[in-house]
Amino acid sequence: MMNQRTLSCIVCPKECALEVSMLDKVVTYISGYSCERGRQYAHDEILCPSRIITTTVSIEGGVCKRLPVRSSSPFPKERINEWMREVKELRVKAPVQVGEVLIAGILGTGTDVISSKSVAQDQ
Amino acid sequence: MERFELAVIGGGPAGLAAALEARQNGIERIILFERERELGGILQQCVHSGFGLHLFKEELTGPEYAERFIESVRQSDIVCKTDTTVLEISGDRTVKAVNAADGFMEIGADALILATGCRERTREAIGIPGDRPAGIFTAGSAQRFMNLEGYRIGKRAVILGSGDVGLIMARRLTLEGSEVAAVVEAMPAPSGLNRNVIQCLDDFGIPLLLSHTVISTIGKERLEGVRIAQVDSRMQPIAGTESLIPCDALLVSVGLIPENELALQAGISTHEDSHGLAVDERMQTDAEGIFACGNAVSIHSLADYVTVQGRLAGRSAASFILDRRGRTELEPMYQDGRHTAK
C-alpha cells in the first residue's frame, strides 16, 4: 500500500519539513531534507525512531556529585524506559574520561553508555 | 595592581571562545574569571544532546561541548580564576574580584570582554498570585538541582512556558520518574524550537496547552496545585475556563534576560527593550576597549552561535590590544621628532 508521511526534522534547528513515501514497509522516496543527516533521520524515524538518550548518574570521589552520561548513538525510542532503569544502577568512581564506555552494548543493542564528561578525583 | 592584556569575565561558551580566540591572535597575558567551581557555565547542567551540530558537525551534550574548549584553555597559558566573583569593573578597565584562595584582587587590563550570560525571568516577574510554597522553580534552577546536585524536583510537575529549557526539563522529569501533568503556554504557538516540542513532549505524550496560563498557585508550605485558564488574544484569562491541576512542582520557563549588573555599574549602555549590552559590529560596547559577547548581548537559541560571537569578540579585543601596543611602541619615534613636520 502506498503511504505518505510528513515529518518535521529534529536534527538541527532548521527544522526542514520532510516528506516520506512508503510502499508497504519500504521507504521509497524522501524529499524536503537539506542535508544527509536529515535524510537519514527521515528514514530511521519511519522504520525505527531512535534518540540520543542522556541522563546523570551518581559518581564517587569526584569533584562533582553527578556524572552526565549518554547513549553513544541513537537508541530505539520505545526502549527508553528500559535504558533508564539499567543506567540508574550504574555506580561510577572518579576519575573518568569523557567518552569512556560505562556500559558496553546496553540491552543487547550496538550502542554503549558513555560518559559525557571528564571528572577528576577530588583532592 | 597586577596587569594583564585581556580580562574575560565569564567562563561559559562565550568567554571560553573569546579567551581562546584572543590567545590565538597573539594576546599573551589573559585572565579569565568564573564564578562557579568549574568552567563551562550553563553548559555543565545542559546534559541533553544537540550542541555542536554547526561547529563540530556532530551531536554533543553540553558538558562534552564545554570540555572541548576547557581542554584547550587548560593546555594554554590563560590564567583561570574559578570560584571567583567579580565585584566591580570600571571604564578604565580595572577589575575587582574576590575568591577564597586569593582574597580580594584588583587587576588592570588593556581590554575587557564581558561574557556574563543571562538570568531567568522568575515567577515574581510575571506576577502569578498565590503564596510562596516550596516547589516553585525557574526551569534552569530546577535543571541545576537535578543535573548537578542530584535532587528530585517533585512527583508531579506543571511547566509554565514552552521555552527550550522548559521543554527539555519536561523530558528530564519524565525520564527521572516524575509525571509532567502539562506544559502551559500563554501564546498560541510554542516558543521553543519545534525539534524540542517533538523530542521532549510528543515522544513522551506530555500535553501542551497553548493559549493557557497559570492564574494562581495553591498551597502554603508545599505547592499543592495550580489553577490554569484559557487566555484570549490579549492574554487575559477567559472566565469559565478555569481548572485545577494538582501538582507539587511548578517550573517557570518564561524567558531569559541578559545579566549586565557589572556593565551597568560601570555606566556601559544596554538596550532598553532587551537589557542586552549595546555593541558595534566588532562587539565593542560604548566603553572603549570593553567588548561583550554571548547571552549578555542578546539571548541565543544555540550555544554554537554564542561560540561564534565569542570568537568575534576575542578577535576584536586582540586587534584593539595589538593596535594600541603598536601605537605606544611608535610613540618614542614621534617624540624624537623624526615624524614632526618642520
Side-chain angles (χ1 to χ4, degrees), chain B residues 59-74:
Chain B
E59 190 167 351
L60 303 171
T61 62
E64 287 172 305
Y65 184 86
E67 200 160 325
R68 302 218 167 174
F69 297 92
I70 296 170
E71 216 25 65
S72 308
V73 167
R74 279 211 191 103

Side-chain angles (χ1 to χ4, degrees), chain B residues 291-309:
Chain B
F291 298 79
C293 53
N295 284 352
V297 174
S298 63
I299 304 305
H300 295 68
S301 54
L302 283 188
D304 296 50
Y305 298 156
V306 169
T307 299
V308 169
Q309 198 177 68

Side-chain angles (χ1 to χ4, degrees), chain A residues 8 10-11 13 15 51 54-56 63 65-66 68 70 77 80 84 88 98 116-118 122, chain B residues 37-38 44 47-48 53 59 61 63-64 67 147-150 172 175-176 193-195 198 203 302:
Chain A
S8 179
I10 64 167
V11 171
E15 296 170 350
R51 301 282 184 264
T54 66
T55 187
T56 64
V63 289
K65 293 179 211 165
R66 304 290 296 176
R70 57 173 283 192
K77 197 165 96 171
I80 287 181
M84 282 297 292
K88 224 168 215 162
V98 64
S116 291
K117 184 173 172 177
S118 303
D122 199 13
Chain B
R37 190 176 172 190
E38 285 180 288
Q44 295 291 5
V47 301
H48 54 276
L53 283 164
E59 190 167 351
T61 62
E64 287 172 305
E67 200 160 325
N147 293 348
L148 295 183
E149 317 280 344
R172 272 302 285 149
L175 285 176
E176 292 291 353
L193 298 168
N194 194 31
R195 64 193 293 260
I198 294 169
D203 276 6
L302 283 188

Side-chain angles (χ1 to χ4, degrees), chain B residues 4-336:
Chain B
F4 287 84
E5 284 176 289
L6 175 65
V8 180
I9 299 169
L16 290 169
L20 285 168
E21 188 76 8
R23 186 69 194 81
Q24 277 167 18
N25 281 270
I27 304 304
E28 277 155 8
R29 300 256 304 148
I30 302 177
I31 186 167
L32 187 147
F33 296 99
E34 165 57 43
R35 111 183 118 186
E36 294 291 327
R37 190 176 172 190
E38 285 180 288
L39 292 172
I42 223 69
L43 287 169
Q44 295 291 5
Q45 69 184 52
C46 297
V47 301
H48 54 276
S49 68
F51 298 85
L53 283 164
H54 290 265
L55 249 49
F56 300 115
K57 305 285 172 218
E58 52 182 313
E59 190 167 351
L60 303 171
T61 62
E64 287 172 305
Y65 184 86
E67 200 160 325
R68 302 218 167 174
F69 297 92
I70 296 170
E71 216 25 65
S72 308
V73 167
R74 279 211 191 103
Q75 284 167 12
S76 75
D77 51 7
I78 296 170
V79 179
C80 290
K81 293 286 179 193
T82 51
D83 240 336
T84 305
T85 300
V86 173
L87 303 167
E88 196 184 307
I89 60 166
S90 64
D92 64 357
R93 303 184 288 276
T94 58
V95 178
K96 291 176 182 156
V98 65
N99 70 21
D102 304 280
F104 177 80
M105 59 190 121
E106 186 173 4
I107 67 116
D110 298 335
L112 280 186
I113 295 179
L114 304 175
T116 45
C118 61
R119 283 191 183 152
E120 290 177 282
R121 186 168 280 127
T122 61
R123 172 243 178 136
E124 283 71 23
I126 52 170
I128 304 170
D131 285 315
R132 297 183 178 206
I136 303 178
F137 307 91
T138 57
S141 58
Q143 189 179 45
R144 185 190 166 98
F145 282 134
M146 269 188 108
N147 293 348
L148 295 183
E149 317 280 344
Y151 292 114
R152 189 175 188 183
I153 297 303
K155 297 188 182 78
R156 191 168 203 262
V158 167
I159 296 172
L160 173 61
S162 58
D164 289 310
V165 194
L167 296 175
I168 281 157
M169 280 309 289
R171 174 176 60 185
R172 272 302 285 149
L173 285 161
T174 310
L175 285 176
E176 292 291 353
S178 303
E179 184 192 349
V180 178
V183 175
V184 180
E185 168 62 55
M187 302 299 280
S191 66
L193 298 168
N194 194 31
R195 64 193 293 260
N196 283 332
V197 175
I198 294 169
Q199 57 184 349
C200 297
L201 301 188
D202 298 354
D203 276 6
F204 299 95
I206 299 167
L208 172 61
L209 301 175
L210 296 171
S211 299
H212 278 71
T213 194
V214 171
I215 51 172
S216 66
T217 65
I218 294 152
K220 187 140 184 78
E221 297 297 320
R222 177 81 201 187
L223 186 69
E224 289 160 20
V226 295
R227 217 176 277 284
I228 66 162
Q230 205 177 329
V231 293
D232 59 24
S233 54
R234 290 169 303 136
M235 309 268 274
Q236 295 304 307
I238 301 170
T241 63
E242 299 90 351
S243 62
L244 173 74
I245 306 181
C247 61
D248 62 354
L250 172 67
L251 269 57
V252 181
S253 172
V254 290
L256 303 167
I257 309 166
E259 177 172 344
N260 286 319
E261 273 68 19
L262 288 171
L264 286 172
Q265 262 177 23
I268 298 169
S269 302
T270 56
H271 287 297
E272 243 172 69
D273 47 351
S274 69
H275 302 283
L277 283 168
V279 290
D280 64 15
E281 68 279 10
R282 296 167 52 219
M283 307 313 292
Q284 183 167 232
T285 65
D286 65 354
E288 196 192 20
I290 302 185
F291 298 79
C293 53
N295 284 352
V297 174
S298 63
I299 304 305
H300 295 68
S301 54
L302 283 188
D304 296 50
Y305 298 156
V306 169
T307 299
V308 169
Q309 198 177 68
R311 285 175 177 166
L312 173 59
R315 269 197 306 280
S316 301
S319 62
F320 174 84
I321 295 163
L322 296 174
D323 191 37
R324 251 171 64 112
R325 193 196 290 165
R327 262 183 285 158
T328 44
E329 277 165 10
L330 274 177
E331 258 160 20
M333 298 196 340
Y334 283 110
Q335 280 160 7
D336 72 12

